[in-house]
PDB file of all heavy atoms in Angstrom:
ATOM      1  N   ILE A  64      69.989  80.721 -47.827  1.00 94.00           N
ATOM      2  CA  ILE A  64      69.615  80.585 -46.414  1.00 94.00           C
ATOM      3  C   ILE A  64      69.583  79.116 -46.011  1.00 94.00           C
ATOM      4  O   ILE A  64      70.035  78.731 -44.926  1.00 94.00           O
ATOM      5  CB  ILE A  64      68.244  81.247 -46.137  1.00 94.00           C
ATOM      6  CG1 ILE A  64      68.314  82.762 -46.386  1.00 94.00           C
ATOM      7  CG2 ILE A  64      67.782  80.953 -44.723  1.00 94.00           C
ATOM      8  CD1 ILE A  64      69.273  83.498 -45.466  1.00 94.00           C
ATOM      9  N   SER A  65      69.062  78.279 -46.912  1.00 95.00           N
ATOM     10  CA  SER A  65      68.980  76.844 -46.644  1.00 95.00           C
ATOM     11  C   SER A  65      70.374  76.233 -46.471  1.00 95.00           C
ATOM     12  O   SER A  65      70.613  75.459 -45.536  1.00 95.00           O
ATOM     13  CB  SER A  65      68.238  76.149 -47.787  1.00 95.00           C
ATOM     14  OG  SER A  65      68.322  74.750 -47.665  1.00 95.00           O
ATOM     15  N   LYS A  66      71.295  76.592 -47.365  1.00 95.00           N
ATOM     16  CA  LYS A  66      72.660  76.048 -47.299  1.00 95.00           C
ATOM     17  C   LYS A  66      73.428  76.607 -46.099  1.00 95.00           C
ATOM     18  O   LYS A  66      74.235  75.907 -45.493  1.00 95.00           O
ATOM     19  CB  LYS A  66      73.425  76.358 -48.589  1.00 95.00           C
ATOM     20  CG  LYS A  66      72.873  75.669 -49.832  1.00 95.00           C
ATOM     21  CD  LYS A  66      72.979  74.161 -49.733  1.00 95.00           C
ATOM     22  CE  LYS A  66      72.460  73.468 -50.989  1.00 95.00           C
ATOM     23  NZ  LYS A  66      72.470  71.991 -50.865  1.00 95.00           N
ATOM     24  N   LEU A  67      73.177  77.881 -45.755  1.00 95.00           N
ATOM     25  CA  LEU A  67      73.834  78.478 -44.588  1.00 95.00           C
ATOM     26  C   LEU A  67      73.358  77.781 -43.303  1.00 95.00           C
ATOM     27  O   LEU A  67      74.160  77.493 -42.406  1.00 95.00           O
ATOM     28  CB  LEU A  67      73.533  79.979 -44.518  1.00 95.00           C
ATOM     29  CG  LEU A  67      74.241  80.770 -43.404  1.00 95.00           C
ATOM     30  CD1 LEU A  67      75.751  80.653 -43.508  1.00 95.00           C
ATOM     31  CD2 LEU A  67      73.828  82.247 -43.453  1.00 95.00           C
ATOM     32  N   SER A  68      72.070  77.482 -43.225  1.00 95.00           N
ATOM     33  CA  SER A  68      71.531  76.748 -42.070  1.00 95.00           C
ATOM     34  C   SER A  68      72.130  75.353 -41.999  1.00 95.00           C
ATOM     35  O   SER A  68      72.485  74.868 -40.916  1.00 95.00           O
ATOM     36  CB  SER A  68      70.000  76.644 -42.163  1.00 95.00           C
ATOM     37  OG  SER A  68      69.415  77.914 -42.147  1.00 95.00           O
ATOM     38  N   GLY A  69      72.252  74.698 -43.167  1.00 93.00           N
ATOM     39  CA  GLY A  69      72.853  73.363 -43.227  1.00 93.00           C
ATOM     40  C   GLY A  69      74.303  73.362 -42.789  1.00 93.00           C
ATOM     41  O   GLY A  69      74.769  72.435 -42.117  1.00 93.00           O
ATOM     42  N   PHE A  70      75.002  74.446 -43.151  1.00 94.00           N
ATOM     43  CA  PHE A  70      76.404  74.621 -42.760  1.00 94.00           C
ATOM     44  C   PHE A  70      76.525  74.638 -41.237  1.00 94.00           C
ATOM     45  O   PHE A  70      77.325  73.900 -40.644  1.00 94.00           O
ATOM     46  CB  PHE A  70      76.915  75.931 -43.366  1.00 94.00           C
ATOM     47  CG  PHE A  70      78.248  76.400 -42.844  1.00 94.00           C
ATOM     48  CD1 PHE A  70      79.430  75.863 -43.334  1.00 94.00           C
ATOM     49  CD2 PHE A  70      78.328  77.396 -41.874  1.00 94.00           C
ATOM     50  CE1 PHE A  70      80.663  76.302 -42.867  1.00 94.00           C
ATOM     51  CE2 PHE A  70      79.543  77.841 -41.400  1.00 94.00           C
ATOM     52  CZ  PHE A  70      80.717  77.289 -41.897  1.00 94.00           C
ATOM     53  N   TYR A  71      75.708  75.462 -40.573  1.00 95.00           N
ATOM     54  CA  TYR A  71      75.765  75.563 -39.107  1.00 95.00           C
ATOM     55  C   TYR A  71      75.264  74.280 -38.431  1.00 95.00           C
ATOM     56  O   TYR A  71      75.755  73.910 -37.352  1.00 95.00           O
ATOM     57  CB  TYR A  71      74.980  76.776 -38.623  1.00 95.00           C
ATOM     58  CG  TYR A  71      75.801  78.042 -38.665  1.00 95.00           C
ATOM     59  CD1 TYR A  71      75.569  79.021 -39.622  1.00 95.00           C
ATOM     60  CD2 TYR A  71      76.843  78.238 -37.757  1.00 95.00           C
ATOM     61  CE1 TYR A  71      76.341  80.179 -39.670  1.00 95.00           C
ATOM     62  CE2 TYR A  71      77.622  79.387 -37.798  1.00 95.00           C
ATOM     63  CZ  TYR A  71      77.369  80.350 -38.752  1.00 95.00           C
ATOM     64  OH  TYR A  71      78.151  81.484 -38.802  1.00 95.00           O
ATOM     65  N   GLU A  72      74.329  73.619 -39.076  1.00 94.00           N
ATOM     66  CA  GLU A  72      73.811  72.363 -38.509  1.00 94.00           C
ATOM     67  C   GLU A  72      74.932  71.327 -38.385  1.00 94.00           C
ATOM     68  O   GLU A  72      75.032  70.615 -37.381  1.00 94.00           O
ATOM     69  CB  GLU A  72      72.689  71.835 -39.423  1.00 94.00           C
ATOM     70  CG  GLU A  72      71.915  70.675 -38.839  1.00 94.00           C
ATOM     71  CD  GLU A  72      70.792  70.215 -39.764  1.00 94.00           C
ATOM     72  OE1 GLU A  72      70.053  71.090 -40.286  1.00 94.00           O
ATOM     73  OE2 GLU A  72      70.677  69.009 -39.983  1.00 94.00           O
ATOM     74  N   ILE A  73      75.798  71.270 -39.409  1.00 93.00           N
ATOM     75  CA  ILE A  73      76.911  70.306 -39.397  1.00 93.00           C
ATOM     76  C   ILE A  73      77.994  70.728 -38.417  1.00 93.00           C
ATOM     77  O   ILE A  73      78.461  69.930 -37.599  1.00 93.00           O
ATOM     78  CB  ILE A  73      77.516  70.139 -40.807  1.00 93.00           C
ATOM     79  CG1 ILE A  73      76.506  69.495 -41.764  1.00 93.00           C
ATOM     80  CG2 ILE A  73      78.804  69.314 -40.754  1.00 93.00           C
ATOM     81  CD1 ILE A  73      76.230  68.034 -41.504  1.00 93.00           C
ATOM     82  N   VAL A  74      78.435  72.002 -38.491  1.00 93.00           N
ATOM     83  CA  VAL A  74      79.583  72.432 -37.672  1.00 93.00           C
ATOM     84  C   VAL A  74      79.257  72.482 -36.182  1.00 93.00           C
ATOM     85  O   VAL A  74      80.162  72.457 -35.347  1.00 93.00           O
ATOM     86  CB  VAL A  74      80.148  73.797 -38.138  1.00 93.00           C
ATOM     87  CG1 VAL A  74      80.595  73.730 -39.593  1.00 93.00           C
ATOM     88  CG2 VAL A  74      79.146  74.928 -37.934  1.00 93.00           C
ATOM     89  N   GLU A  75      77.973  72.540 -35.847  1.00 93.00           N
ATOM     90  CA  GLU A  75      77.594  72.574 -34.436  1.00 93.00           C
ATOM     91  C   GLU A  75      77.329  71.182 -33.856  1.00 93.00           C
ATOM     92  O   GLU A  75      77.035  71.053 -32.662  1.00 93.00           O
ATOM     93  CB  GLU A  75      76.353  73.469 -34.256  1.00 93.00           C
ATOM     94  CG  GLU A  75      76.676  74.957 -34.431  1.00 93.00           C
ATOM     95  CD  GLU A  75      75.447  75.843 -34.491  1.00 93.00           C
ATOM     96  OE1 GLU A  75      74.319  75.286 -34.376  1.00 93.00           O
ATOM     97  OE2 GLU A  75      75.595  77.063 -34.660  1.00 93.00           O
ATOM     98  N   ARG A  76      77.481  70.148 -34.691  1.00 92.00           N
ATOM     99  CA  ARG A  76      77.315  68.784 -34.192  1.00 92.00           C
ATOM    100  C   ARG A  76      78.457  68.408 -33.257  1.00 92.00           C
ATOM    101  O   ARG A  76      79.584  68.871 -33.434  1.00 92.00           O
ATOM    102  CB  ARG A  76      77.267  67.795 -35.363  1.00 92.00           C
ATOM    103  CG  ARG A  76      75.927  67.725 -36.026  1.00 92.00           C
ATOM    104  CD  ARG A  76      75.761  66.682 -37.090  1.00 92.00           C
ATOM    105  NE  ARG A  76      76.945  65.955 -37.493  1.00 92.00           N
ATOM    106  CZ  ARG A  76      77.012  65.253 -38.625  1.00 92.00           C
ATOM    107  NH1 ARG A  76      75.973  65.210 -39.443  1.00 92.00           N
ATOM    108  NH2 ARG A  76      78.110  64.608 -38.937  1.00 92.00           N
ATOM    109  N   SER A  77      78.187  67.553 -32.285  1.00 89.00           N
ATOM    110  CA  SER A  77      79.198  67.180 -31.287  1.00 89.00           C
ATOM    111  C   SER A  77      80.369  66.424 -31.913  1.00 89.00           C
ATOM    112  O   SER A  77      81.489  66.468 -31.401  1.00 89.00           O
ATOM    113  CB  SER A  77      78.559  66.325 -30.186  1.00 89.00           C
ATOM    114  OG  SER A  77      77.973  65.157 -30.749  1.00 89.00           O
ATOM    115  N   ASP A  78      80.126  65.715 -33.037  1.00 87.00           N
ATOM    116  CA  ASP A  78      81.202  64.924 -33.639  1.00 87.00           C
ATOM    117  C   ASP A  78      82.008  65.708 -34.674  1.00 87.00           C
ATOM    118  O   ASP A  78      82.934  65.159 -35.280  1.00 87.00           O
ATOM    119  CB  ASP A  78      80.635  63.652 -34.285  1.00 87.00           C
ATOM    120  CG  ASP A  78      79.620  63.955 -35.396  1.00 87.00           C
ATOM    121  OD1 ASP A  78      79.099  65.093 -35.433  1.00 87.00           O
ATOM    122  OD2 ASP A  78      79.349  63.063 -36.219  1.00 87.00           O
ATOM    123  N   PHE A  79      81.683  66.996 -34.861  1.00 91.00           N
ATOM    124  CA  PHE A  79      82.461  67.799 -35.807  1.00 91.00           C
ATOM    125  C   PHE A  79      83.717  68.303 -35.094  1.00 91.00           C
ATOM    126  O   PHE A  79      83.641  68.744 -33.944  1.00 91.00           O
ATOM    127  CB  PHE A  79      81.637  68.986 -36.322  1.00 91.00           C
ATOM    128  CG  PHE A  79      82.260  69.687 -37.504  1.00 91.00           C
ATOM    129  CD1 PHE A  79      82.145  69.147 -38.770  1.00 91.00           C
ATOM    130  CD2 PHE A  79      82.982  70.862 -37.342  1.00 91.00           C
ATOM    131  CE1 PHE A  79      82.715  69.768 -39.875  1.00 91.00           C
ATOM    132  CE2 PHE A  79      83.568  71.494 -38.422  1.00 91.00           C
ATOM    133  CZ  PHE A  79      83.434  70.942 -39.700  1.00 91.00           C
ATOM    134  N   PRO A  80      84.901  68.230 -35.748  1.00 87.00           N
ATOM    135  CA  PRO A  80      86.158  68.659 -35.102  1.00 87.00           C
ATOM    136  C   PRO A  80      86.063  70.080 -34.562  1.00 87.00           C
ATOM    137  O   PRO A  80      85.455  70.950 -35.176  1.00 87.00           O
ATOM    138  CB  PRO A  80      87.184  68.558 -36.238  1.00 87.00           C
ATOM    139  CG  PRO A  80      86.628  67.538 -37.162  1.00 87.00           C
ATOM    140  CD  PRO A  80      85.139  67.707 -37.101  1.00 87.00           C
ATOM    141  N   LYS A  81      86.703  70.318 -33.421  1.00 82.00           N
ATOM    142  CA  LYS A  81      86.583  71.613 -32.750  1.00 82.00           C
ATOM    143  C   LYS A  81      87.942  72.268 -32.465  1.00 82.00           C
ATOM    144  O   LYS A  81      88.066  72.997 -31.491  1.00 82.00           O
ATOM    145  CB  LYS A  81      85.830  71.448 -31.415  1.00 82.00           C
ATOM    146  CG  LYS A  81      84.397  70.941 -31.530  1.00 82.00           C
ATOM    147  CD  LYS A  81      83.471  71.975 -32.131  1.00 82.00           C
ATOM    148  CE  LYS A  81      82.004  71.601 -32.035  1.00 82.00           C
ATOM    149  NZ  LYS A  81      81.596  70.438 -32.797  1.00 82.00           N
ATOM    150  N   ASP A  82      88.959  72.008 -33.270  1.00 82.00           N
ATOM    151  CA  ASP A  82      90.257  72.630 -32.984  1.00 82.00           C
ATOM    152  C   ASP A  82      90.257  74.114 -33.374  1.00 82.00           C
ATOM    153  O   ASP A  82      89.311  74.615 -33.974  1.00 82.00           O
ATOM    154  CB  ASP A  82      91.414  71.875 -33.659  1.00 82.00           C
ATOM    155  CG  ASP A  82      91.333  71.888 -35.182  1.00 82.00           C
ATOM    156  OD1 ASP A  82      91.050  72.962 -35.749  1.00 82.00           O
ATOM    157  OD2 ASP A  82      91.580  70.846 -35.814  1.00 82.00           O
ATOM    158  N   GLU A  83      91.359  74.814 -33.018  1.00 83.00           N
ATOM    159  CA  GLU A  83      91.424  76.276 -33.208  1.00 83.00           C
ATOM    160  C   GLU A  83      91.338  76.673 -34.674  1.00 83.00           C
ATOM    161  O   GLU A  83      90.706  77.679 -35.032  1.00 83.00           O
ATOM    162  CB  GLU A  83      92.720  76.839 -32.603  1.00 83.00           C
ATOM    163  CG  GLU A  83      92.764  76.812 -31.085  1.00 83.00           C
ATOM    164  CD  GLU A  83      93.433  75.549 -30.549  1.00 83.00           C
ATOM    165  OE1 GLU A  83      93.393  74.516 -31.251  1.00 83.00           O
ATOM    166  OE2 GLU A  83      93.996  75.592 -29.454  1.00 83.00           O
ATOM    167  N   ASN A  84      91.981  75.887 -35.538  1.00 86.00           N
ATOM    168  CA  ASN A  84      91.963  76.194 -36.966  1.00 86.00           C
ATOM    169  C   ASN A  84      90.542  76.104 -37.519  1.00 86.00           C
ATOM    170  O   ASN A  84      90.073  76.987 -38.238  1.00 86.00           O
ATOM    171  CB  ASN A  84      92.890  75.235 -37.722  1.00 86.00           C
ATOM    172  CG  ASN A  84      92.957  75.534 -39.206  1.00 86.00           C
ATOM    173  OD1 ASN A  84      93.087  76.680 -39.608  1.00 86.00           O
ATOM    174  ND2 ASN A  84      92.854  74.505 -40.021  1.00 86.00           N
ATOM    175  N   VAL A  85      89.853  75.029 -37.164  1.00 90.00           N
ATOM    176  CA  VAL A  85      88.466  74.826 -37.607  1.00 90.00           C
ATOM    177  C   VAL A  85      87.571  75.939 -37.055  1.00 90.00           C
ATOM    178  O   VAL A  85      86.745  76.502 -37.778  1.00 90.00           O
ATOM    179  CB  VAL A  85      87.956  73.436 -37.169  1.00 90.00           C
ATOM    180  CG1 VAL A  85      86.448  73.329 -37.343  1.00 90.00           C
ATOM    181  CG2 VAL A  85      88.652  72.338 -37.964  1.00 90.00           C
ATOM    182  N   ALA A  86      87.762  76.283 -35.781  1.00 90.00           N
ATOM    183  CA  ALA A  86      86.944  77.332 -35.157  1.00 90.00           C
ATOM    184  C   ALA A  86      87.112  78.670 -35.868  1.00 90.00           C
ATOM    185  O   ALA A  86      86.135  79.402 -36.087  1.00 90.00           O
ATOM    186  CB  ALA A  86      87.320  77.472 -33.677  1.00 90.00           C
ATOM    187  N   SER A  87      88.354  78.997 -36.255  1.00 91.00           N
ATOM    188  CA  SER A  87      88.595  80.277 -36.936  1.00 91.00           C
ATOM    189  C   SER A  87      87.951  80.291 -38.321  1.00 91.00           C
ATOM    190  O   SER A  87      87.429  81.312 -38.760  1.00 91.00           O
ATOM    191  CB  SER A  87      90.100  80.566 -37.037  1.00 91.00           C
ATOM    192  OG  SER A  87      90.750  79.616 -37.837  1.00 91.00           O
ATOM    193  N   LEU A  88      87.953  79.133 -39.006  1.00 93.00           N
ATOM    194  CA  LEU A  88      87.333  79.057 -40.338  1.00 93.00           C
ATOM    195  C   LEU A  88      85.811  79.119 -40.240  1.00 93.00           C
ATOM    196  O   LEU A  88      85.152  79.741 -41.082  1.00 93.00           O
ATOM    197  CB  LEU A  88      87.766  77.782 -41.058  1.00 93.00           C
ATOM    198  CG  LEU A  88      89.229  77.730 -41.512  1.00 93.00           C
ATOM    199  CD1 LEU A  88      89.559  76.386 -42.133  1.00 93.00           C
ATOM    200  CD2 LEU A  88      89.540  78.851 -42.507  1.00 93.00           C
ATOM    201  N   VAL A  89      85.258  78.480 -39.223  1.00 94.00           N
ATOM    202  CA  VAL A  89      83.797  78.559 -39.013  1.00 94.00           C
ATOM    203  C   VAL A  89      83.394  80.010 -38.764  1.00 94.00           C
ATOM    204  O   VAL A  89      82.403  80.505 -39.313  1.00 94.00           O
ATOM    205  CB  VAL A  89      83.360  77.663 -37.830  1.00 94.00           C
ATOM    206  CG1 VAL A  89      81.907  77.945 -37.451  1.00 94.00           C
ATOM    207  CG2 VAL A  89      83.524  76.186 -38.188  1.00 94.00           C
ATOM    208  N   PHE A  90      84.192  80.708 -37.942  1.00 94.00           N
ATOM    209  CA  PHE A  90      83.933  82.137 -37.700  1.00 94.00           C
ATOM    210  C   PHE A  90      84.022  82.929 -39.000  1.00 94.00           C
ATOM    211  O   PHE A  90      83.143  83.725 -39.326  1.00 94.00           O
ATOM    212  CB  PHE A  90      84.952  82.689 -36.692  1.00 94.00           C
ATOM    213  CG  PHE A  90      85.074  84.188 -36.731  1.00 94.00           C
ATOM    214  CD1 PHE A  90      84.111  85.002 -36.144  1.00 94.00           C
ATOM    215  CD2 PHE A  90      86.138  84.795 -37.386  1.00 94.00           C
ATOM    216  CE1 PHE A  90      84.206  86.390 -36.215  1.00 94.00           C
ATOM    217  CE2 PHE A  90      86.249  86.177 -37.456  1.00 94.00           C
ATOM    218  CZ  PHE A  90      85.276  86.976 -36.863  1.00 94.00           C
ATOM    219  N   LEU A  91      85.097  82.695 -39.756  1.00 94.00           N
ATOM    220  CA  LEU A  91      85.358  83.451 -40.979  1.00 94.00           C
ATOM    221  C   LEU A  91      84.255  83.250 -42.010  1.00 94.00           C
ATOM    222  O   LEU A  91      83.613  84.214 -42.447  1.00 94.00           O
ATOM    223  CB  LEU A  91      86.709  83.006 -41.549  1.00 94.00           C
ATOM    224  CG  LEU A  91      87.275  83.787 -42.725  1.00 94.00           C
ATOM    225  CD1 LEU A  91      87.709  85.170 -42.300  1.00 94.00           C
ATOM    226  CD2 LEU A  91      88.469  83.033 -43.323  1.00 94.00           C
ATOM    227  N   TYR A  92      84.022  82.006 -42.395  1.00 94.00           N
ATOM    228  CA  TYR A  92      83.046  81.728 -43.447  1.00 94.00           C
ATOM    229  C   TYR A  92      81.618  82.003 -42.985  1.00 94.00           C
ATOM    230  O   TYR A  92      80.814  82.576 -43.739  1.00 94.00           O
ATOM    231  CB  TYR A  92      83.173  80.267 -43.909  1.00 94.00           C
ATOM    232  CG  TYR A  92      84.522  79.909 -44.468  1.00 94.00           C
ATOM    233  CD1 TYR A  92      85.040  78.622 -44.336  1.00 94.00           C
ATOM    234  CD2 TYR A  92      85.300  80.862 -45.128  1.00 94.00           C
ATOM    235  CE1 TYR A  92      86.286  78.292 -44.854  1.00 94.00           C
ATOM    236  CE2 TYR A  92      86.542  80.538 -45.641  1.00 94.00           C
ATOM    237  CZ  TYR A  92      87.043  79.250 -45.505  1.00 94.00           C
ATOM    238  OH  TYR A  92      88.273  78.918 -46.012  1.00 94.00           O
ATOM    239  N   GLY A  93      81.305  81.603 -41.760  1.00 95.00           N
ATOM    240  CA  GLY A  93      79.948  81.826 -41.252  1.00 95.00           C
ATOM    241  C   GLY A  93      79.578  83.294 -41.251  1.00 95.00           C
ATOM    242  O   GLY A  93      78.495  83.674 -41.707  1.00 95.00           O
TER     243      GLY A  93
END
């Protein structure tokens, strides 16, 4: 749970890349 929260904390930051490929992987793994 701690690592999953950390994962979302990083990917939801404004400076994290937001292209379509990254978005699909965030959806998939998350």
Side-chain angles (χ1 to χ4, degrees):
I64 296 297
S65 171
K66 294 296 181 184
L67 184 58
S68 298
F70 168 81
Y71 275 107
E72 190 178 314
I73 294 289
V74 301
E75 288 170 1
R76 280 186 353 197
S77 58
D78 60 342
F79 192 79
K81 298 290 190 294
D82 63 44
E83 290 93 333
N84 182 45
V85 167
S87 64
L88 290 176
V89 169
F90 160 77
L91 188 70
Y92 300 149

